[in-house]
Amino acid sequence: MVVKIHTLEEVYKLHINDLYLYLLKLSGHPQTAEDLVQDTFIKAYEHLESYRGEKVRPWLFRVAHNAYIDWYRKEKRSVHTEPHLLEALNKDLDMGPEEKYITKEKLNRWLTALRVLPEKSRQVILLRDYYDFTYQEISEILKTNLSSVKVTLYRARQKVKEVMKNEL
């Protein structure tokens, strides 16, 4: 099996958008997300010795997760969603106005429901349901065991369903 080694610039170009959206959803602030992406790549560069040849994407998300946790601890404030978050998340959708409106409404309801979740639950559901990481990759990113990821995801999904159902 041949493993292609990417330059830092290639890795940056491949993963910056996903990392930005992940950090934007966690922090709720575009400027904070940009700063955290920058911190992620700085920390990734500084800690290249901790990279053991595993898949780059989960490793970068683990670094981003740690950067977010560091920021969150410093800020000690709750995460909230700004109005322009939906625009940033939907800017690439190619659909008609009515379909786009319905999608934005569903996304808005989902993001609102995510706000009631504890921090860990919010991270697990974003990594699995939005970024499509495997359970194993999520456990590595969040440094927790596999069964904890599964239970947290199940409970988070149930809570989101309950919140969204109660909104109707």
Side-chain angles (χ1 to χ4, degrees), residues 86-87 90-91 93 95 98-111:
L86 291 175
E87 293 174 37
N90 287 307
K91 67 181 179 186
L93 295 179
M95 54 181 70
E98 183 177 319
E99 191 176 356
K100 195 168 188 172
Y101 174 79
I102 291 169
T103 301
K104 280 186 179 183
E105 286 300 311
K106 287 180 183 176
L107 183 58
N108 190 28
R109 288 181 56 226
W110 189 71
L111 288 170

Side-chain angles (χ1 to χ4, degrees), residues 57-72:
R57 189 170 187 254
W59 182 73
L60 276 175
F61 269 77
R62 186 170 51 245
V63 174
H65 165 75
N66 291 337
Y68 172 74
I69 293 299
D70 290 345
W71 171 82
Y72 184 77

Side-chain angles (χ1 to χ4, degrees), residues 2-51:
V2 177
V3 177
K4 183 179 180 195
I5 298 176
H6 297 283
T7 65
L8 191 56
E9 184 178 351
E10 290 172 324
V11 170
Y12 179 83
K13 287 178 182 176
L14 282 172
H15 301 289
I16 187 170
N17 290 334
D18 284 343
L19 286 170
Y20 173 76
L21 289 175
Y22 171 63
L23 292 166
L24 179 63
K25 288 176 193 146
L26 288 177
S27 69
H29 297 58
Q31 185 60 45
T32 301
E34 288 174 15
D35 292 344
L36 289 170
V37 167
Q38 184 178 17
D39 287 348
T40 297
F41 281 99
I42 289 170
K43 288 179 182 184
Y45 179 74
E46 291 172 348
H47 296 97
L48 279 175
E49 72 277 355
S50 71
Y51 178 70

Side-chain angles (χ1 to χ4, degrees), residues 57-143:
R57 189 170 187 254
W59 182 73
L60 276 175
F61 269 77
R62 186 170 51 245
V63 174
H65 165 75
N66 291 337
Y68 172 74
I69 293 299
D70 290 345
W71 171 82
Y72 184 77
R73 286 181 181 148
K74 287 177 187 171
E75 294 297 314
K76 296 282 187 188
R77 61 186 164 144
S78 62
V79 177
H80 64 279
T81 304
E82 294 182 353
H84 56 279
L85 175 61
L86 291 175
E87 293 174 37
L89 295 176
N90 287 307
K91 67 181 179 186
D92 294 327
L93 295 179
D94 186 28
M95 54 181 70
E98 183 177 319
E99 191 176 356
K100 195 168 188 172
Y101 174 79
I102 291 169
T103 301
K104 280 186 179 183
E105 286 300 311
K106 287 180 183 176
L107 183 58
N108 190 28
R109 288 181 56 226
W110 189 71
L111 288 170
T112 301
L114 287 184
R115 285 190 273 175
V116 303
L117 296 176
E119 185 66 26
K120 183 178 178 184
S121 298
R122 187 170 43 248
Q123 290 180 13
V124 169
I125 202 167
L126 282 170
L127 289 169
R128 179 67 188 137
D129 292 347
Y130 189 83
Y131 290 102
D132 203 30
F133 278 103
T134 66
Y135 295 118
Q136 183 62 41
E137 290 170 334
I138 295 168
S139 73
E140 291 169 10
I141 290 168
L142 301 179
K143 295 181 182 175

